[in-house]
Each structure stands twice: as structure tokens, then as C-alpha cells.
Amino acid sequence: MTDDYKNYLAAAVLTDGKIVSYRLLSRALKVNVNTAKQMLYDFYSKQNAKKPKSVHATYLLTGTQQPESPSRTNGTHRQDGEDSFMQSSPFPSSMPEPMESELAEDPVPVTYVVLVREEELDKKRAEFMEITSIHIYSLEPGPIENMNMLAVCNQEITKSYSNDDPLERWKIYGGIQNPYIKRRTARYAPLLSKTASGEAPKDAAPKATARKILEASSKQKEKNSVPSRRGSVSEDTKPGKSMQQPSSSNTAAKKPTLKKEKSDIFSSFAKAKAKPKAAEESKDSTPAQTEDEMAGMSEDEADADDTPEVRFDAEKAAEARKAREAREAKLRQMMEDDEDEPMEDAPPVTEEDSQDAPLDKEASKPVEKETVTVQGGRRRGRRRVMKKKTVKDEDGYLVTKEEAVWESFSEEDPEPKRPKPAPKSSTAKGKKGTGTGKYGQGSIASFFKKA
Amino acid sequence: MSKAEGNLLKAAPFDEPVHLAPRGNSSYNPLHTFELPKGGERQYAHQFADMYFLRLAQLKPVLEEQAEELWKDFELAGEKARRVDRVLDVRQGELCWVIGTVYMELSMKPNILDDLTKEHWIAAPPAREKYISSTGLDEMMLEDESGRLRITGETISRQSFVTGCIIAALGTEQADGSFNIIATQSADLPRQPQRWERDDSEQAVESGNVTSKRKTSGKVAIVSGLEITGTAEDDVSLDLLMEYLTCEAAGPPTQTATGKISRLILAGNSLSHSSPIPTREEYASRKIESTRKHYGYDASVYNATPAERLDQFLADVLPHLPITLLPGPSDPANVAIPQQALHPALFPLSRQYSSPPLQSNESREGLDSVTNPWEGDIEGWRVLGTGGQTVDDLLKYVEEGDALDVMDAMLRWRCIAPTAPDTLWCYPFQDDDPLLLHECPHIYFCGNQPKFGSRVIQGPADQKVLLLSIPKFSETKTVVLVDMETMKVETVRFEVVPPGT
């Protein structure tokens, strides 16, 4: 085990003439990156002790460099009020500040991360004021002429070593853990299929790919139960944003995915009872699949109704609260200012404030006094709109004013997606029950119409 | 020379690997100020005049108040300054002040007719760096809905104004009808929210009480202009950036420091030459290349490599660091500001880290693809950022000054894109102009600038704003880190030493 790295490095660097970076070594041997960096050095020093110049190295230096200009001298002592361009000038920093003074920042500390070949190492090292860390970045059989060659290591990692769960990588390889990141379980994971096909020999049966996907998805499922992932909103619903599934993996992966879909439907059911859509669609000949594909295609129209309800409410509530405060302040001021003002104007004005969006988008809010009746798929009612009005004033000028006026309107129900209730599902909300006859068929068309 | 624990030039026996303390949470609460209506509600048929009307209507009361306070006792040669409602009401020889929209008549400003003449020229003139000309033919106007005033005066030459900003001007009308200004006043910084204000109110609404205990915030890393071309040139520095951000590169001391970063912001131009509208030159060269007619899908027209490389980069970083992704002028988003979020279809790997679009239009952890400009709360601070077009366009109007100067001016004009829709493509807003600044940010950054810069400006009500101009990574290899507790700024520069130097 302990000599694994020697064998690997000897084979890769000396025999195959490959470039091996610390990352590649850590992936290949499943060791921590910091250990891999030391392994590289160990191999490098021992090998070159045996036979000088047999292995070549590149280094990664981190630290602060000698300041290039005098203005960078005291990077650590920074105070507001000192101008970076005035460093050498005799202006005192306690200069009285005018109202609109611009406080220029002092020189900003710069950390350098430098990748260098061993030939230039000493020269580069001398430029550093302090080196916080240094390690071997890669080993190669001879001096490399083009630093871009080093990129092949990470390409190889992407190609061959990215089958594991990215959220668990830190345990093996080091790097920092971020416990807050969540990853959706995508049914169509391009990473898996891509790397699997890249890894497997060309004549390998599609079964192999399928098995990989199977394994992967079962792995994913196991992970779902791991408490640290906090199974929450992003876990369960609609994992598939995929436009299409490759047909080969589609058939093979059907078994695990079907299982998943089931839970998807249930969870979305449990969460949002308000959407009879899910229930209805599950009765179609292609259950849930269509919905998922729709979910993928309709990125553009994820409207406000689809956001989690809790947060939506909170936002609205905060808005409403702000509006209420503003209204109160306005009212108070009006009382003080002039009493001749007709009072009935006040409330509608503030209502206007409470909603940023144009009112015709969602006309039926309980707070407003607007009346909306829904009849046979059409909505009628009165609403307030801002109208621009151009009038001639006493001097003969044209004056444009923005005025709130009431207007009655009548329009097609703008939500064709929701008001198609399943025959069985209860039409609890009267508004939604109206469109029954109209939207029975041609659901695809009406779906796109909404956009 | 180097610290012992940072030196990994050690032979066997190896140190026992130590896991770094996990990264702190990034408190993130985006606003959706710049999101345009979806689908059919997005109307491009409107007139732009409404934007100017809205701007003037919204900023006039503020300016009136400020100018009144400033100039109510102003006297010149025994004459008191008087307020005039409309620019046409200005009487000759009378000291007065008036509020209006600035319009700059610049001789080098692009003209739609120029595009037509270009078609007939063999060699088009080079792209303009600035709209202003050195001949002094440029004129400044002040206009409102009633009419226009030609502005003269010494203040113009010293101060810079651009088309679309709203100012109050104090002066007198001369015999030739021009308005000689003595002083100008801008709306200045609006109210600045308190730190955690929005989060606290949301929390109070949700749970009824506010937790005053919050963890110490980490740093935010801002990068702009990755300009991934998909060729080998940018690979190594991009790898270094990724390894740095994931704390794999360097030794334990550096890794610990990097672990403090709790969010990465990509401020535009992550891909190069991916704008859906090619420039005139690109279009011409493309035409020549593909004289042969292709049927069906032509792979030479679209090169997926840059997008794949970006996706890979994001997917490598995302397990360790949440990312906010702004589009920029060269990204495959719409070209008119506000640019809408990059479509998740571009990121087959990394979109697994963002919330499903049907569920939520934001992802507080993971990848959040947002608009440009974008604003939101990070660690309680209001952050406003752009991909850089607004600043670049503004810089063409002024003779001197850098990005920080014009960013400062924009905040004081309370309009983050005054030159839209005149010289900057813009969505025709009708009812509200989100490009007007309603709340003062704490951090205002602007991507894709030639060099790094940072400055703290102050407002009349003690607002403090940190201005950051973020350099292009593709050219400077620089990452900007902002400590969200102290507002201290630092940079990290990557360098790949070319062989033989």
C-alpha cells in the first residue's frame, strides 16, 4: 500500500512518459491531495538521487510578493481616508473631509499563486516576500515546453475519475467540505453516461452502461437517506430537467427510474395539493414522463405560482407590511397638511404601492377592492390602471400626467394550465372548475399557449 | 523562508491528512429586480420615451427637495434664485434652477444612419473608443417633457454628464438662448438598508422573532471575464483557479485561508464570443468561411466546447462553493440589459446544484444563474453588480476617469444605466424602471474592467458604498476577495510562468 505511489509514478512518469499532477495521483490512489503532494516530492527526490535529471517537476508557490511599486509597501495597514495615490505626498490623512469626499482605498493586499517549472523556481522564489506554501504541482519525465500541457491531468481526472459523488469527494481527496450544498438527483445524468461510455471499451454491451447507471442511482438513493443531506425540497421533486433521454440508457434504466417517479408524484402531491395537474397527468398514457419532460422544457415559464408557497407568502407579507407602514405615514401626513383633500383617494393609492407588478397579471387579491368575476373561462371586472394623460394647461403647453383610473375589463382566463381539473379530482376552488369543457383535449397546445 | 506547515516538500513518512474545517454557510437572499416578464408578456414594441418620462417623474421630487435646500438662499448680485417648473419657463436673465434630463449631443455618437453608410463602404471606420470629439463640437442639453435648453458654463467642462441622467441645474439664460449653469445637483445616494434588514424582516414574518446571533461571515470571491474559449490556452489558469477555490491547491495555511470564502460570483463574460448576435466583423468572416452550403445541422456554426468547459468548471467548484452566475456581453444571453439569466440547458452537469426552475427561481445554495445587472443580499449586505456594459458605455462619454469614477456617478444619479436606451441596448420598460436605484447598495461591483480598483464612497446620510471594478480574469488572472465582516478587499493573482523566462 505504502509503495503504491512509487509503482504508479514509476509506471506513469518513467515508463509511459505521462505528466502526473498531485490531483491525478490523489485520484488514482484515492489519497488526500496533501499526501499526494508529499508523495510527489518523495518520489522526485529519491528518483533524482538515484539518477539525476530523470524526473522533472513543476511547483506551485503561494504567498506575497515584493511590491512592484512603492505604493504597495504597507499593504497590511490600511485605513480609510488615505488615498492610494497620495502615499508619497505630504497630505495628512486626517484631512477634514468634505461632504462628498471619496475615500479611496489603500493598496490592496495581493496573494500570488504561481505555477513554475523547476528551472525558473529559484528566480521566482526570490520575488516572493513570504511564501505561505509550496509544493510540487506535477512530475513529468522531462522539462515541459508548454505549460498548457499540464491541463491534460485534469482532463484525465474528468474523464476517468468523476464517477463518484462530488459531494463526498472531500472525504477522500481533501479539499474543503461545504455541508450546505445540495445536489439534485438527476435521472438523466450526463456525467454518468458520458464517463461510462468514455471508460468502457467500445465493444462493451450497453448492459455495462446500464449497470453503472443502476449502481449510480441506487447509490444516489442510499444517499438520500443520509441525514446530512437534509432531504428537503430540492431532493424529491422533478429531478429531470433533461430534454431527452438517450434511448439506449432509457430502456435500461427504466427500472430504477420508474420507482423514483412514483415517489416524485407522491411527494409533489403531498406538497402541493393545489395542483390537480399532477394527478391528471398521471392518468395519461405516458405517466409522469410527459410531465417531467414538460418540466424540463418549461424553464422559461416557472412563474410565481411554482415557487414554494411559504416563501412566497413571506415575501408578500413583508411587502404588505411595508405598504401598510407607508400608507399610515401618508395618511398621517395628509391629515397634517391639508384637510381639504378628499380622503377617498388615499387607500387606492397605497394599494398601488403594495404591488409592484402590473395589476392585470394577478387581479384577484383579497386585499384589493377590485371586483373580478369569472364566467365561462372569461374574467370580467374592474381594476385600477395607470394611464398617461396628456392635457393642455392654461399656458397652452401639453402636460403628460400619470393617473390612476378605473377601467372595466374582460379577458380570457390567463391560467389555462391550472383550470383543467381531472374529472375525479375535486374542484374545490371554484375558479378553477370553470374551464372544464374547454381544455379537455389538446393539452400540449394549451400548454404552449401559456408561454 | 516559508512557513513549515505550508511546505509540502517533505519526503516519507507523510503527514496524516487533516480535514479542513467545513466551509461556512453563505447567507444569500437574491432580489429579482431585473427579471423581465416571461414569454408573451415580454413586449418589445413599446416606445423608449416612457423610460425617460419615468426617470424624470421619479427623480424630480427628490431633486426638488435637495435643490430647494441647497439653493433656496442662494443669491447672486442681489438676485434670489427662483425655482422654475419646466425648462421652457426659464426667462432670459433670470437666476433660476430647473430639473431635467441631460442629453449630450456628441459628434462621435453612433448614429443609425452610420450603419447604413457602412454597408456601402469597403473599409468601415474603426470602432469608437469614445463618443466625444476633441474639436469641442459637443453640446449638452437639458430637457423635460416641455422642451430643451442648451447648456453652457464652466461646470460642464469640469464635470461629466451623460445622456439620460437627471440633474438640477442653477443658472441664467443668456441672450443667445443658452442656459449658463453655475452649479448642478444630482439626486445623490438613496436610502441604504441596514445590514440584515431584509433577512430580519423575512424571518420576523416567518417565525415571529429575530435571531440576533449570526455567525461570522466569510469572504466572497468575485471573478469576471473567464472568457473561456475552449482552447488549451486558458485551461491551466482555469484549473489553478478551480483548485484554489476548492482548497486543493497549495499547503494547509493557504487552504485554511481559502476556506473562508463562502461564495463565488462570476460577473459576466464567462464565455468568449458566445453572444447570440455576432459583431459585424464576426459575421463577415463567418460568411466568407462558409460559402459552401450546408444542409441540416452544421457543426461548424456552433462550437460547444467553451460551454462544456465552463460547465465542467462550475461542476468542479460547486460541491465546495456556491456560485452566483451573471451573464455578460459575450455570454449567450439576450443582448439588451437587463440580461436574463443564462439558461440551465447550457449547464447539464452543474445545473444539478440549482433548484428546479419550476420550484423556485432562485437557489440559495448551489448554482444561482441570475440576471445582469443583479442585486441581492449576501451576508446581510445589499450587493449590486453588473457585467460591465453600463460602465463601458458611460466611459465613452467622458474624457477622463476610470470605472470607479463613473460607478460613483451612477449611484449619485440614482440610475445604474443612464445611457440606456440611448447608446446601450435596453428592454423598453413601461411601468417601472428597475435601472433606477431605489435602495443604495453596500457593495457595487462591475465586471470585465481592464484593471482592478476599489474605493469607498460616502453619501449625505452617511451611506458607505464599496465600489469594486473587477478585472477580466482572462487578462489579469485576478480574483477579488471581499471580507463580508470587515469589508476589506484583497486580490489573488494567478501566474503561470512561461518556460524560459
Side-chain angles (χ1 to χ4, degrees):
Chain A
M1 168 64 206
T2 45
D3 284 343
D4 267 1
Y5 70 95
K6 287 179 189 159
N7 300 335
Y8 178 83
L9 285 172
V13 179
L14 299 178
T15 317
D16 293 348
K18 279 204 301 185
I19 301 176
V20 177
S21 74
Y22 73 93
R23 265 187 111 221
L24 184 57
L25 181 67
S26 86
R27 262 52 172 189
L29 303 180
K30 300 218 180 304
V31 292
N32 189 290
V33 278
N34 285 354
T35 313
K37 290 165 194 168
Q38 293 180 25
M39 286 173 173
L40 286 180
Y41 182 74
D42 186 66
F43 181 79
Y44 173 76
S45 49
K46 283 184 181 149
Q47 202 61 37
N48 277 359
K50 266 189 249 164
K51 191 181 161 203
K53 296 273 174 202
S54 60
V55 191
H56 183 271
T58 59
Y59 292 84
L60 190 77
L61 301 169
T62 320
T64 49
Q65 283 193 357
Q66 296 284 359
E68 285 162 18
S69 59
S71 68
R72 236 183 231 161
T73 38
N74 47 1
T76 47
H77 305 288
R78 305 192 305 131
Q79 270 179 354
D80 286 349
E82 274 185 9
D83 196 315
S84 57
F85 305 104
M86 305 266 180
Q87 283 271 315
S88 53
S89 61
F91 286 127
S93 62
S94 59
M95 213 166 52
E97 287 164 7
M99 194 64 172
E100 288 191 40
S101 77
E102 289 167 352
L103 306 178
E105 283 283 275
D106 259 73
V108 166
V110 187
T111 309
Y112 283 84
V113 179
V114 178
L115 181 61
V116 63
R117 299 194 308 169
E118 63 179 49
E119 284 85 0
E120 287 91 22
L121 176 66
D122 288 334
K123 196 179 145 208
K124 209 69 211 172
R125 222 172 170 165
E127 286 175 22
F128 273 86
M129 212 156 67
E130 187 195 18
I131 295 179
T132 41
S133 48
I134 177 169
H135 66 83
I136 292 191
Y137 186 82
S138 69
L139 289 183
E140 50 274 334
I144 45 173
E145 290 310 313
N146 186 351
M147 295 301 260
N148 295 332
M149 300 275 289
L150 292 173
V152 297
C153 295
N154 278 343
Q155 281 160 14
E156 192 180 333
I157 292 170
T158 329
K159 226 160 71 191
S160 321
Y161 299 104
S162 51
N163 269 340
D164 50 352
D165 178 29
L167 292 180
E168 303 295 322
R169 276 180 204 155
W170 62 275
K171 282 184 189 156
I172 308 165
Y173 307 127
I176 197 156
Q177 181 208 3
N178 191 331
Y180 302 96
I181 297 285
K182 290 175 206 133
R183 185 161 171 259
R184 287 187 287 149
T185 45
R187 190 172 316 136
Y188 169 64
L191 176 67
L192 289 173
S193 51
K194 198 163 129 198
T195 48
S197 59
E199 206 180 32
K202 270 175 193 148
D203 56 345
K207 261 185 205 164
T209 351
R211 199 161 47 84
K212 281 223 171 71
I213 292 169
L214 254 165
E215 275 168 18
S217 56
S218 64
K219 229 193 262 168
Q220 304 272 40
K221 240 176 274 161
E222 279 165 30
K223 255 173 276 128
N224 284 354
S225 58
V226 172
S228 72
R229 303 270 314 263
R230 310 161 197 237
S232 70
V233 272
S234 64
E235 287 276 74
D236 43 10
T237 39
K238 290 156 198 141
K241 270 160 76 179
S242 55
M243 296 291 189
Q244 75 261 46
Q245 282 179 311
S247 55
S248 65
S249 69
N250 190 10
T251 45
K254 204 157 228 168
K255 211 174 134 202
T257 50
L258 267 178
K259 231 178 180 175
K260 274 248 168 110
E261 273 160 12
K262 225 169 146 193
S263 68
D264 281 349
I265 291 163
F266 281 138
S267 55
S268 60
F269 231 103
K271 224 174 65 184
K273 277 257 165 66
K275 292 184 191 170
K277 185 180 71 177
E280 185 201 342
E281 232 136 49
S282 70
K283 278 182 208 121
D284 284 349
S285 55
T286 51
Q289 179 76 16
T290 40
E291 198 213 335
D292 263 327
E293 272 179 14
M294 289 311 190
M297 284 154 98
S298 61
E299 317 251 62
D300 202 26
E301 44 197 85
D303 49 7
D305 301 323
D306 294 318
T307 54
E309 263 155 52
V310 194
R311 199 168 38 69
F312 185 74
D313 283 345
E315 241 166 56
K316 269 277 169 309
E319 238 169 54
R321 201 164 52 89
K322 236 181 230 168
R324 202 169 52 238
E325 278 166 19
R327 179 168 54 200
E328 273 163 20
K330 225 174 220 176
L331 268 174
R332 225 176 298 125
Q333 204 180 358
M334 209 181 295
M335 299 291 235
E336 284 162 17
D337 282 351
D338 50 0
E339 276 137 17
D340 298 342
E341 192 78 16
M343 289 308 288
E344 64 266 23
D345 270 1
V349 169
T350 43
E351 269 167 31
E352 207 58 54
D353 290 348
S354 73
Q355 253 198 322
D356 291 349
L359 281 168
D360 49 349
K361 263 191 214 158
E362 289 177 313
S364 51
K365 282 273 174 312
V367 211
E368 278 139 34
K369 284 176 189 160
E370 291 163 14
T371 53
V372 179
T373 53
V374 185
Q375 236 174 18
R378 294 185 73 79
R379 301 190 310 143
R380 295 196 172 80
R382 272 161 63 75
R383 63 183 169 195
R384 272 175 77 89
V385 288
M386 296 302 280
K387 278 249 167 101
K388 295 211 178 84
K389 211 175 160 191
T390 310
V391 289
K392 217 177 235 183
D393 70 356
E394 63 272 14
D395 290 336
Y397 297 127
L398 285 175
V399 178
T400 312
K401 273 185 204 153
E402 216 172 45
E403 267 180 12
V405 286
W406 286 93
E407 72 164 25
S408 54
F409 71 97
S410 153
E411 60 185 27
E412 289 241 272
D413 201 324
E415 292 154 320
K417 209 157 90 179
R418 287 205 282 177
K420 37 168 184 179
K424 267 187 208 166
S425 72
S426 67
T427 57
K429 299 199 176 173
K431 195 172 121 197
K432 285 174 188 168
T434 48
T436 317
K438 211 171 170 187
Y439 296 101
Q441 264 231 316
S443 59
I444 284 284
S446 65
F447 177 84
F448 281 108
K449 214 174 177 179
K450 204 237 161 177
Chain B
M1 186 168 182
S2 53
K3 286 179 191 166
E5 67 265 34
N7 190 349
L8 292 179
L9 301 181
K10 286 181 224 163
F14 306 125
D15 297 343
E16 203 48 40
V18 186
H19 282 300
L20 301 164
R23 212 156 227 165
N25 193 13
S26 164
S27 166
Y28 179 69
N29 194 351
L31 283 160
H32 302 280
T33 321
F34 302 100
E35 263 166 37
L36 295 177
K38 308 280 187 201
E41 284 168 48
R42 199 180 293 178
Q43 288 289 339
Y44 284 92
H46 298 307
Q47 294 289 319
F48 285 111
D50 290 304
M51 284 183 72
Y52 289 116
F53 175 78
L54 271 171
R55 240 181 241 176
L56 190 60
Q58 291 195 18
L59 289 180
K60 207 165 183 173
V62 184
L63 270 167
E64 264 167 15
E65 212 171 275
Q66 292 199 2
E68 186 71 48
E69 198 176 307
L70 198 69
W71 294 328
K72 67 171 182 242
D73 297 325
F74 187 86
E75 272 183 47
L76 191 74
E79 195 187 355
K80 262 198 147 178
R82 198 174 64 89
R83 197 203 145 200
V84 170
D85 260 339
R86 291 177 305 193
V87 297
L88 279 195
D89 290 340
V90 174
R91 299 276 168 265
Q92 225 169 67
E94 199 176 44
L95 184 66
C96 60
W97 55 271
V98 67
I99 296 165
T101 312
V102 171
Y103 173 74
M104 304 296 287
E105 177 67 52
L106 305 173
S107 45
M108 303 285 276
K109 206 162 81 165
N111 188 337
I112 182 69
L113 295 177
D114 289 351
D115 273 354
L116 277 177
T117 42
K118 244 186 205 168
E119 308 272 311
H120 301 285
W121 282 357
I122 295 159
R128 279 152 192 168
E129 291 287 307
K130 301 263 181 195
Y131 299 144
I132 45 172
S133 74
S134 48
T135 50
L137 290 172
D138 304 334
E139 280 187 338
M140 175 175 164
M141 318 267 196
L142 195 68
E143 67 175 34
D144 65 5
E145 61 268 37
S146 71
R148 243 182 208 191
L149 270 178
R150 197 154 56 82
I151 300 280
T152 54
E154 283 183 12
T155 24
I156 324 176
S157 49
R158 275 187 283 117
Q159 283 177 314
S160 303
F161 295 102
V162 302
T163 299
C165 65
I166 313 280
I167 58 163
L170 174 75
T172 49
E173 192 180 317
Q174 306 292 303
D176 65 347
S178 65
F179 191 72
N180 194 346
I181 51 171
I182 305 163
T184 56
Q185 175 68 25
S186 60
D188 220 322
L189 305 184
R191 175 190 169 271
Q192 191 170 37
Q194 296 284 315
R195 192 182 179 187
W196 299 114
E197 186 178 282
R198 235 174 103 237
D199 304 74
D200 278 346
S201 70
E202 264 178 33
Q203 207 172 40
V205 169
E206 265 168 39
S207 57
N209 60 335
V210 175
T211 50
S212 52
K213 219 171 71 186
R214 286 185 207 275
K215 278 193 288 182
T216 319
S217 309
K219 295 174 185 172
V220 167
I222 312 176
V223 186
S224 81
L226 291 178
E227 301 205 324
I228 296 171
T229 54
T231 55
E233 272 90 59
D234 43 37
D235 267 355
V236 176
S237 47
L238 203 63
D239 280 344
L240 280 183
L241 175 63
M242 183 267 290
E243 288 165 29
Y244 174 80
L245 290 172
T246 58
C247 295
E248 286 185 52
T254 317
Q255 288 168 337
T256 314
T258 325
K260 300 251 161 44
I261 300 173
S262 60
R263 176 164 290 274
L264 172 67
I265 298 175
L266 291 176
N269 284 11
S270 304
L271 301 169
S272 89
H273 303 302
S274 292
S275 175
I277 298 184
T279 62
R280 196 170 281 272
E281 290 74 31
E282 277 174 0
Y283 186 72
S285 64
R286 202 174 287 176
K287 230 177 182 177
I288 295 163
E289 274 169 24
S290 58
T291 40
R292 197 160 55 90
K293 193 144 192 170
H294 291 279
Y295 292 99
Y297 175 69
D298 182 6
S300 71
V301 174
Y302 179 66
N303 178 9
T305 327
E308 277 167 7
R309 185 75 182 88
L310 175 65
D311 185 31
Q312 186 62 51
F313 170 77
L314 294 177
D316 281 340
V317 174
L318 272 169
H320 307 274
L321 197 61
I323 297 177
T324 301
L325 177 66
L326 275 75
S330 72
D331 283 327
N334 56 333
V335 287
I337 59 163
Q339 287 186 296
Q340 298 302 290
L342 290 175
H343 200 278
L346 281 164
F347 313 115
L349 300 175
S350 45
R351 70 177 172 206
Q352 293 165 26
Y353 296 93
S354 61
S355 318
L358 281 184
Q359 210 173 75
S360 160
N361 56 352
E362 60 185 39
S363 338
R364 300 198 176 193
E365 297 94 16
L367 178 69
D368 196 19
S369 184
V370 298
T371 56
N372 165 33
W374 169 82
E375 71 176 337
D377 289 354
I378 301 179
E379 308 295 348
W381 305 107
R382 178 65 49 84
V383 179
L384 172 67
T386 72
Q389 302 102 310
T390 52
V391 167
D392 291 344
D393 193 60
L394 220 66
L395 279 171
K396 293 179 183 170
Y397 280 82
V398 296
E399 212 151 339
E400 48 198 29
D402 57 7
L404 295 177
D405 293 331
V406 298
M407 285 164 76
D408 181 5
M410 280 195 262
L411 292 186
R412 296 194 190 277
W413 291 328
R414 292 201 192 176
C415 185
I416 54 169
T419 55
D422 189 31
T423 45
L424 195 61
W425 287 334
C426 175
Y427 176 77
F429 290 105
Q430 280 299 292
D431 304 308
D432 186 33
D433 186 358
L435 299 170
L436 284 177
L437 199 66
H438 296 296
E439 283 190 320
C440 184
H442 295 98
I443 298 174
Y444 179 30
F445 67 85
C446 160
N448 301 309
Q449 296 306 306
K451 63 179 174 56
F452 164 78
S454 82
R455 182 188 294 167
V456 177
I457 60 162
Q458 273 188 330
D462 229 26
Q463 302 100 320
K464 269 194 178 174
V465 189
L466 173 65
L467 305 182
L468 291 172
S469 83
I470 313 294
K472 282 188 183 183
F473 184 81
S474 60
E475 284 163 18
T476 59
K477 312 285 179 214
T478 301
V479 177
V480 179
L481 303 180
V482 185
D483 190 312
M484 297 308 267
E485 217 43 71
T486 61
M487 287 284 173
K488 289 253 153 79
V489 185
E490 57 186 300
T491 58
V492 178
R493 199 167 297 173
F494 296 90
E495 199 180 327
V496 178
V497 182
T501 50

